[in-house]
């Protein structure tokens, strides 16, 4: 178990350093890497369901996630500002069109690849948008989610008694969830003290309230991923990072937090 914990810490640290370097580099290299991560996320969802990725709907779904992630109008000036969403919609229609030409392919079958590509593609698109608006926004989201996860784990392990949603994630507790929220509030307080520009002039009280919403959103994203895995009978979404499971196991919270940050006007 000690060796497993050491490997988990080692690979987790290496992955965090790589992510921070990519965030600092930014630009097209960062965006393409994030696009590839979105495609990998679709692959993990297909694999959990037992679908082959090298099929017409699999190829269209991974391409849709990639196009939804990238800010295409930044590089192709003739495209409108929402071109990534429009192209995603066209590919989604292509997947739906399969129901016309393939008798055994139904609307229900088409929903999974479309939902999968949107789920990961839009969340990663918001990560790209956040990075384009400033490193501080991304770092705030990262530290908030990491603090939520860590404090929820340690608080739940030490004080957890009442189960949160046992049918989805039997180890999560209400006490752990509250500890995670407290962790998010601490991160928000530190950012407010040392990087107030991150919040664009919002009051401290408002930011504490928003940090609660962001923390709850992150925890909900984790529960959604747990529900998907439980439905398909798998422990991890994949094996992207040794000791840490799949890509979606690491990004499930952030995929929910970044769109909420955007909705709150942070970028």
């Amino acid at each position: 178990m000690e060796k497993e914990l050491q490997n988990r810490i080692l690979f987790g640290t290496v992955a965090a350093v790589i992510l921070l370097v990519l965030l600092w580099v930014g630009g097209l290299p960062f965006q393409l890497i994030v696009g590839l991560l979105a495609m990998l996320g679709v692959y993990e969802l297909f694999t959990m369901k037992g679908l082959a990725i090298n099929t017409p709907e699999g190829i269209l779904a991974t391409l849709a996630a990639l196009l939804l992630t990238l800010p295409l109008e930044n590089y192709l000036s003739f495209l409108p500002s929402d071109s990534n969403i429009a192209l995603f919609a066209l590919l989604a229609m292509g997947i739906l069109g399969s129901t016309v030409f393939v008798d055994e392919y139904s609307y229900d079958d088409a929903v999974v690849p479309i939902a999968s590509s949107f789920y990961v593609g839009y969340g990663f698109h918001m990560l790209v948008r956040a990075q384009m608006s400033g490193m501080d926004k991304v770092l705030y989201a990262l530290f908030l989610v990491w603090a939520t996860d860590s404090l929820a784990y340690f608080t739940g392990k030490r004080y957890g008694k009442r189960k949160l949603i046992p049918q989805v994630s039997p180890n999560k507790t209400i006490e752990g969830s509250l500890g995670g929220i407290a962790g998010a509030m601490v991160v928000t307080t530190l950012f407010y003290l040392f990087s107030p520009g991150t919040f664009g002039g919002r009051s401290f009280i408002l930011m504490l309230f928003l940090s609660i919403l962001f923390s709850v959103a992150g925890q909900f994203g984790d529960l959604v991923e747990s529900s998907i895995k439980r439905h398909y009978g798998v422990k991890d979404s994949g094996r992207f990072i040794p000791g840490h499971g799949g890509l979606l196991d690491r990004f499930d919270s952030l995929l929910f937090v970044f769109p909420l940050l955007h909705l709150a006007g942070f970028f």
Side-chain angles (χ1 to χ4, degrees):
M1 181 61 73
E2 254 185 55
K3 184 70 173 175
E4 182 181 342
L5 180 60
Q6 289 174 359
N7 287 337
R8 183 180 176 88
I9 293 173
L10 174 62
F11 285 108
T13 302
V14 171
V17 170
I18 292 173
L19 176 61
L20 291 174
V21 170
L22 286 171
L23 283 167
W24 180 77
V25 171
L28 185 59
F30 169 73
Q31 292 165 15
L32 288 177
I33 291 295
V34 175
L36 290 174
L37 292 179
M39 296 172 74
L40 178 59
V42 173
Y43 169 76
E44 288 186 350
L45 288 166
F46 267 59
T47 301
M48 282 191 280
K49 184 168 172 56
L51 298 174
I53 202 70
N54 58 340
T55 57
E57 64 269 22
I59 294 170
L60 287 174
T62 51
L63 183 58
L66 173 64
L67 294 179
L68 185 57
T69 300
L70 299 177
L72 299 174
E73 70 279 3
N74 280 22
Y75 305 102
L76 302 172
S77 58
F78 59 88
L79 291 175
S81 59
D82 64 345
S83 57
N84 61 321
I85 296 175
L87 288 171
F88 169 83
L90 286 175
L91 291 174
M93 291 175 190
I95 296 173
L96 286 172
S98 301
T99 62
V100 176
F101 301 104
V102 182
D103 291 339
E104 62 273 18
Y105 196 75
S106 68
Y107 177 80
D108 289 344
D109 297 321
V111 166
V112 170
I114 293 172
S116 298
S117 56
F118 180 79
Y119 167 38
V120 295
Y122 190 72
F124 278 121
H125 174 72
M126 285 300 146
L127 166 58
V128 169
R129 290 291 183 189
Q131 192 279 334
M132 290 169 62
S133 72
M135 274 281 289
D136 56 342
K137 311 296 192 302
V138 183
L139 291 177
Y140 172 63
L142 290 175
F143 283 119
L144 184 143
V145 167
W146 289 340
T148 294
D149 289 348
S150 299
L151 266 293
Y153 173 78
F154 288 112
T155 304
K157 193 170 184 180
R158 177 67 178 85
Y159 302 105
K161 292 180 180 179
R162 292 169 292 179
K163 299 298 183 181
L164 185 62
I165 307 180
Q167 67 272 24
V168 173
S169 186
N171 294 326
K172 287 183 171 58
T173 62
I174 294 175
E175 292 81 4
S177 177
L178 293 174
I181 291 172
M185 295 174 75
V186 169
V187 167
T188 298
T189 301
L190 292 174
F191 266 79
Y192 202 87
L193 290 173
F194 298 105
S195 182
T198 301
F199 305 129
R202 294 172 178 83
S203 71
F204 179 62
I205 298 299
L206 175 60
M207 281 313 308
L208 285 181
F209 173 73
L210 289 175
S211 71
I212 295 172
L213 294 182
F214 298 151
S215 180
V216 170
Q219 294 184 55
F220 186 69
D222 183 66
L223 287 169
V224 167
E225 180 64 16
S226 296
S227 180
I228 293 172
K229 290 186 294 185
R230 180 167 288 272
H231 176 72
Y232 291 126
V234 297
K235 182 177 182 292
D236 297 316
S237 66
R239 297 181 180 178
F240 180 62
I241 305 174
H244 288 263
L247 170 80
L248 295 177
D249 292 317
R250 296 301 95 205
F251 283 90
D252 49 9
S253 296
L254 289 166
L255 292 177
F256 276 67
V257 170
F258 278 115
L260 195 56
L261 278 168
H262 175 63
L263 186 63
F266 278 73
F267 55 88

